[in-house]
Amino acid sequence: MMMQYLARLALGIFAIAGPALAAQVDILDLQDGDLVPGKYIVNLKPAVDIKAHLSWVRDVHKRSLDLCVTAGLEKTFSFAGFAGYAGEFDDDTIAKILADANVLSVEQDRVGRISALVQQGDAPWGLESISSRTPITDTNTRGHTYSYDSTAGSGTFAYVLDSGVLTNNTQFNGRAIKGYNAWNGTESFDDHFGHGTHVAGTIASETYGVAKQATVIDVKVVRSVGYSTLAHVIDGINWVVNNVTGTPGRAGKSVINMSLAFSTSTSLNRAVDAASASGILSVVGAGNDNALASTRSPASASTALTVGAVSANRTRAPFSNYGPEVDVFAPGVNVASLWNEEGAESVNSGTSMSSPHVAGLALYLKGLEDGLDSPAATIKRIKQLAQSDVVVDAGEGSPNLLAYNGITVPTY
Ligand SMILES: *[C@@H]1O[C@H](CO)[C@@H](O)[C@H](O)[C@H]1NC(C)=O
Ligand SMILES: *[C@@H]1O[C@H](CO)[C@@H](O)[C@H](O)[C@H]1NC(C)=O
Ligand SMILES: *[C@@H]1O[C@H](CO)[C@@H](O)[C@H](O)[C@H]1NC(C)=O
Ligand SMILES: *[C@@H]1O[C@H](CO)[C@@H](O)[C@H](O)[C@H]1NC(C)=O
Ligand SMILES: *[C@@H]1O[C@H](CO)[C@@H](O)[C@H](O)[C@H]1NC(C)=O
């Protein structure tokens, strides 16, 4: 190996090899949607002997000219019939992988970014919206009434795939725990951004949460300023599905929450569908492009519960994606929740904010009602309870449905 290395130096191959530069690229220098140079996600056919294939890959990589500058295999995925891996490979190696009969598809890795649009100063009107048939007239962010059953999602689990969660925030009363850090080795297992804590706050915190008794499990797939890649998100899903399926009875009581949006990715959609096949529901934001949700992943995964955003006046947010891939709308403009410091509050807008309302609602209903163990049954129940024909400008092809917990408040 060393000899090969020296020979290559002598030939000056180092200077011209594309992936040599690729290795220096930091995703923080890339834009949303950019391809990550030299990095790939490989999907394997079902029933392939993964160990044998990976050892073949290691072998091919070892023989590659760019051995010294490409990292090779970086992450492996195996859950619920989804098998594959991610890594950095030179053109030659990736061509050999692509030609292998065990390989289903190869997709170049891509950068995705969280977009929480606005930050302003001060109660979450969204909690009133999902628990009242009466339209909200007072659009103050706080000072609203939330009506819910006291079970409040007890015995359920929200796997929050985001920038990390300030799990020791007193607002979680010990119900938030650390799960997995897909950026281990690059960044500490803390929420350096705030977004993940905001999302977790809307799902389960005492003041801002929909399901105030649910447990949050922090799965960090996003780096500090809001960036991630397909490989890191699929790595997070891989951990979640193995964690959930390793605990009997957990699947029917869990949701995965993801507010990231990538342009449509077969690998990511396939991962979400595989998680669903193993009984785990993914609740995802429709995306913030004022475009068809079918252009984004995971929003376009057929088994995801995809959520668009409305303002307090029930008008679709001008940024919210729409179309037949959307399942339901929920509050996503001026949503107050936690941030990454004890005691802090932040008001944000985005389908990242509408999706946790529905993730929380899914957990609330799973905790309250029987028969909602499967993703399909949960999606059906949420659509059945939703208020119809109240969303203004739902967008072409969208269902006109506003998330609602079905609560009946006695009137005196
Ligand atoms: C909570 O966790 C954060 C991040 O790890 C840490 O900085 C902070 O000191 C912790 N707070 C308490 C009260 O332990
Ligand atoms: C799932 O993750 C939690 C939190 O990290 C851990 O305590 C638990 O042991 C894991 N369960 C399995 C089956 O891996
Ligand atoms: C991070 O990696 C180290 C070394 O491999 C390991 O010991 C540790 O458990 C990992 N931490 C997380 C949160 O995955
Ligand atoms: C609904 O509220 C949004 C702001 O949240 C505002 O921009 C829009 O004009 C309002 N629409 C109507 C019909 O009042
Ligand atoms: C998942 O997290 C994203 C933000 O990362 C958020 O927009 C979305 O609402 C969350 N969904 C659930 C079900 O928690």
Side-chain angles (χ1 to χ4, degrees):
M1 241 190 293
M2 199 52 176
M3 277 179 61
Q4 209 177 38
Y5 179 80
L6 292 173
R8 291 187 57 238
L9 275 181
L11 287 170
I13 291 170
F14 247 156
I16 55 163
L21 295 172
Q24 320 305 330
V25 169
D26 187 312
I27 65 152
L28 301 186
D29 296 329
L30 299 175
Q31 301 294 314
D32 183 11
D34 282 356
L35 297 172
V36 187
K39 302 242 184 185
Y40 300 89
I41 293 152
V42 180
N43 284 222
L44 295 175
K45 289 181 182 161
V48 163
D49 180 343
I50 303 175
K51 270 195 186 151
H53 178 84
L54 290 180
S55 113
W56 172 81
V57 169
R58 285 192 189 94
D59 219 47
V60 174
H61 173 67
K62 249 186 239 166
R63 281 184 269 122
S64 89
L65 280 179
D66 285 313
L67 173 62
C68 309
V69 286
T70 56
L73 197 60
E74 292 179 315
K75 296 195 182 273
T76 58
F77 312 127
S78 175
F79 61 94
F82 183 98
Y85 51 96
E88 188 180 29
F89 304 106
D90 66 9
D91 293 351
D92 208 43
T93 305
I94 205 69
K96 287 195 178 100
I97 289 173
L98 196 51
D100 188 82
N102 295 319
V103 170
L104 187 62
S105 63
V106 174
E107 184 174 5
Q108 194 166 351
D109 202 0
R110 236 181 299 143
V111 172
R113 253 210 102 164
I114 279 179
S115 38
L117 300 179
V118 193
Q119 276 189 32
Q120 303 161 5
D122 193 42
W125 64 269
L127 297 184
E128 176 159 335
S129 172
I130 65 158
S131 66
S132 166
R133 289 200 173 275
T134 314
I136 293 172
T137 48
D138 156 18
T139 58
N140 288 334
T141 52
R142 294 282 300 267
H144 293 272
T145 305
Y146 176 36
S147 310
Y148 62 99
D149 185 88
S150 61
T151 49
S154 175
T156 66
F157 301 84
Y159 287 82
V160 177
L161 273 71
D162 213 286
S163 58
V165 175
L166 184 69
T167 48
N168 65 8
N169 193 304
T170 53
Q171 276 272 328
F172 294 118
N173 297 313
R175 286 176 294 102
I177 60 175
K178 293 284 174 194
Y180 177 70
N181 178 11
W183 288 100
N184 194 9
T186 306
E187 199 173 279
S188 71
F189 201 173
D190 296 305
D191 182 4
H192 298 282
F193 185 14
H195 192 277
T197 307
H198 195 276
V199 166
T202 302
I203 298 173
S205 72
E206 199 171 291
T207 302
Y208 310 96
V210 175
K212 299 178 192 301
Q213 296 299 327
T215 296
V216 165
I217 300 178
D218 177 6
V219 181
K220 177 166 170 163
V221 298
V222 172
R223 278 183 70 183
S224 51
V225 290
Y227 279 95
S228 190
T229 74
L230 289 169
H232 288 85
V233 175
I234 296 171
D235 187 27
I237 296 175
N238 180 67
W239 183 86
V240 172
V241 176
N242 286 313
N243 185 264
V244 168
T245 53
T247 315
R250 174 72 63 94
K253 300 292 177 209
S254 300
V255 301
I256 292 178
N257 181 65
M258 264 182 291
S259 72
L260 278 159
F262 291 89
S263 51
T264 304
S265 156
T266 345
S267 311
L268 182 52
N269 284 0
R270 220 177 256 153
V272 166
D273 291 343
S276 174
S278 71
I280 309 166
L281 174 67
S282 294
V283 185
V284 306
N288 302 332
D289 320 289
N290 185 27
L292 284 167
S294 58
T295 60
R296 308 299 273 167
S297 279
S300 59
S302 59
T303 56
L305 174 45
T306 302
V307 186
V310 293
S311 299
N313 59 18
R314 298 175 163 182
T315 304
R316 177 172 63 94
F319 54 77
S320 175
N321 287 354
Y322 54 88
E325 302 285 351
V326 171
D327 291 291
V328 72
F329 285 89
V333 176
N334 297 340
V335 174
S337 185
L338 305 176
W339 205 241
N340 60 350
E341 260 174 53
E342 179 68 38
E345 180 183 271
S346 168
V347 178
N348 286 269
S349 300
T351 56
S352 286
M353 282 68 237
S354 60
S355 127
H357 279 96
V358 174
L361 181 58
L363 294 175
Y364 170 80
L365 294 171
K366 281 171 179 288
L368 183 63
E369 300 183 1
D370 291 330
L372 297 184
D373 278 0
S374 77
T378 311
I379 293 175
K380 189 173 163 201
R381 183 66 176 140
I382 284 176
K383 293 178 107 166
Q384 189 181 49
L385 285 173
Q387 306 191 59
S388 50
D389 298 324
V390 299
V391 176
V392 179
D393 183 27
E396 200 179 336
S398 304
N400 197 307
L401 294 174
L402 181 63
Y404 178 53
N405 67 359
I407 198 92
T408 308
V409 182
T411 46
Y412 301 100

